[in-house]
C-alpha cells in the first residue's frame, strides 16, 4: 500500500537557519504530494502541493519539488522564523483515492 | 469564513459511554473524512464520505460509525468507547477528489 516516510524530529533551529525536512513515498502510479502544517492547538492546513513529476510547490518561503526518480518531496526554507515553529506533515493522495496518506510528522522548533 | 467546525474540542469520557463528535463544513464540499492522529503514526483515515448517504471505511474503522444525512454534516459516533480510542481526531472536507483538504481544529478525546 501507499506509505510516506518523513525524517524523525524533533528539529530545533535558530532563527534565520536553513530548514530541510526529508520526505520519501511509496505509491503506485503518479500521486499528488502535499505538505501540511499544524500550528500549536490548530488543525492542519495546506502549505504547498505538487501534482506531477518535477513540479515545484511553494508558499510562505517554503519549497518542495516532486522528484519521481527518487520518490521524494523534501521541504526546504532558506531562513526560518520563530513563527514557523509547528508540526509538518508530508502526505500523498492518488487520483482515484479518497484519502490522504500521511507521514508521522516532524516537529520543528525555531528559537529566537 | 470558510471553515470546518468540530465539537467538542476536548472530551473526557468513560469506557462504554456512547459519544458523538460533530463536524460541519460551510464550503459545500462533496468529500468529508475523519482522521485520528497518534504520536509517531501521523494521521490515519477512519471513515470517509463521497456525498450524502454515501460513506465507506478508511484504514482504521473498527469501533467507529459515521453518517452523512446532510451535505454539510459528518458526525463521528463511538458506540462503546475504549481506552485505545484515546486520540486526537480531525474532520476534513474537500471540494475535489485528490484536492486540498480543509481540516477542523481537532477534538482531543480521552477514554478512561
Amino acid at each position: 500500500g501507499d506509505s510516506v516516510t518523513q525524517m524523525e524530529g524533533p528539529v530545533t533551529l535558530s532563527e534565520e537557519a536553513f530548514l530541510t525536512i526529508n520526505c520519501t513515498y511509496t505509491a503506485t502510479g503518479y500521486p499528488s504530494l502535499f505538505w501540511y502544517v499544524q500550528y500549536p492547538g490548530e488543525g492542519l492546513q495546506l502549505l504547498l502541493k505538487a501534482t506531477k513529476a518535477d513540479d515545484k510547490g511553494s508558499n510562505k518561503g517554503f519549497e518542495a519539488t516532486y522528484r519521481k526518480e527518487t520518490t521524494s518531496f523534501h521541504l526546504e526554507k532558506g531562513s526560518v522564523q520563530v513563527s514557523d515553529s509547528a508540526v509538518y506533515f508530508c502526505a500523498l493522495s492518488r487520483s482515484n483515492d479518497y484519502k490522504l496518506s500521511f507521514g508521522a510528522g516532524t516537529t520543528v522548533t525555531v528559537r529566537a | 469564513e470558510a471553515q470546518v467546525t468540530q465539537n467538542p474540542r476536548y472530551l473526557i469520557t468513560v469506557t462504554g459511554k456512547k459519544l458523538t463528535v460533530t463536524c460541519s463544513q460551510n464550503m459545500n464540499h462533496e468529500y468529508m473524512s475523519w482522521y485520528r492522529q497518534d504520536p509517531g503514526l501521523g494521521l490515519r483515515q477512519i471513515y470517509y464520505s463521497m456525498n450524502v448517504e454515501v460513506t465507506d471505511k478508511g484504514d482504521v474503522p473498527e469501533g467507529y460509525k459515521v453518517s452523512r444525512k446532510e451535505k454539510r454534516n459528518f458526525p463521528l459516533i463511538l458506540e462503546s468507547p475504549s481506552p485505545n480510542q484515546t486520540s486526537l481526531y480531525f474532520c476534513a472536507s474537500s471540494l475535489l477528489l485528490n484536492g486540498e483538504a480543509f481540516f477542523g481544529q481537532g477534538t482531543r478525546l480521552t477514554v478512561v
Side-chain angles (χ1 to χ4, degrees):
Chain A
D2 299 340
S3 67
V4 177
T5 302
Q6 288 180 236
M7 62 181 283
E8 291 187 19
V11 175
T12 302
L13 302 164
S14 297
E15 243 182 343
E16 299 183 3
F18 184 85
L19 170 68
T20 299
I21 304 176
N22 290 340
C23 171
T24 57
Y25 68 91
T26 302
T28 56
Y30 297 90
S32 293
L33 302 175
F34 306 83
W35 277 101
Y36 280 83
V37 59
Q38 184 181 29
Y39 298 106
E42 298 184 12
L44 283 74
Q45 54 186 274
L46 180 67
L47 181 60
L48 54 85
K49 69 177 183 181
T51 58
K52 61 183 188 293
D54 300 324
D55 264 3
K56 177 185 282 188
S58 61
N59 186 26
K60 299 182 181 181
F62 290 88
E63 292 183 341
T65 301
Y66 189 144
R67 300 288 188 199
K68 183 69 176 172
E69 63 276 13
T70 55
T71 61
S72 64
F73 193 54
H74 304 322
L75 182 68
E76 297 182 337
K77 185 173 186 181
S79 176
V80 294
Q81 304 299 313
V82 172
S83 57
D84 294 324
S85 298
V87 182
Y88 293 83
F89 291 93
C90 186
L92 70 81
S93 179
R94 288 190 280 122
S95 59
N96 60 346
D97 210 345
Y98 295 95
K99 74 173 182 183
L100 288 159
S101 295
F102 286 88
T106 301
T107 301
V108 174
T109 302
V110 180
R111 295 182 173 169
Chain B
E1 180 189 355
Q3 59 185 1
V4 178
T5 304
Q6 292 178 229
N7 280 296
R9 292 287 309 277
Y10 302 91
L11 179 60
I12 301 174
T13 191
V14 297
T15 299
K17 185 176 181 182
K18 180 179 178 180
L19 65 93
T20 299
V21 183
T22 64
C23 173
S24 180
Q25 51 96 1
N26 63 0
M27 296 167 280
N28 202 36
H29 285 172
E30 303 276 337
Y31 306 101
M32 297 186 75
S33 292
W34 277 102
Y35 292 86
R36 60 178 288 174
Q37 182 182 3
D38 300 292
L41 297 177
L43 281 78
R44 294 175 293 168
Q45 191 185 55
I46 302 170
Y47 267 94
Y48 62 90
S49 170
M50 296 79 81
N51 211 328
V52 175
E53 302 292 3
V54 184
T55 64
D56 207 347
K57 297 177 180 178
D59 293 326
V60 289
E62 293 77 20
Y64 305 95
K65 285 176 55 177
V66 293
S67 68
R68 187 97 181 268
K69 292 184 169 50
E70 304 167 279
K71 196 172 187 179
R72 61 186 292 124
N73 295 325
F74 190 45
L76 178 70
I77 303 156
L78 284 72
E79 295 270 3
S80 183
S82 62
N84 65 10
Q85 293 178 297
T86 292
S87 188
L88 180 58
Y89 291 87
F90 287 101
C91 180
S93 73
S94 60
L95 178 63
L96 302 173
L97 185 64
N98 202 33
E100 175 184 357
F102 293 81
F103 285 80
Q105 289 191 291
T107 296
R108 185 166 293 282
L109 172 66
T110 302
V111 184
V112 298

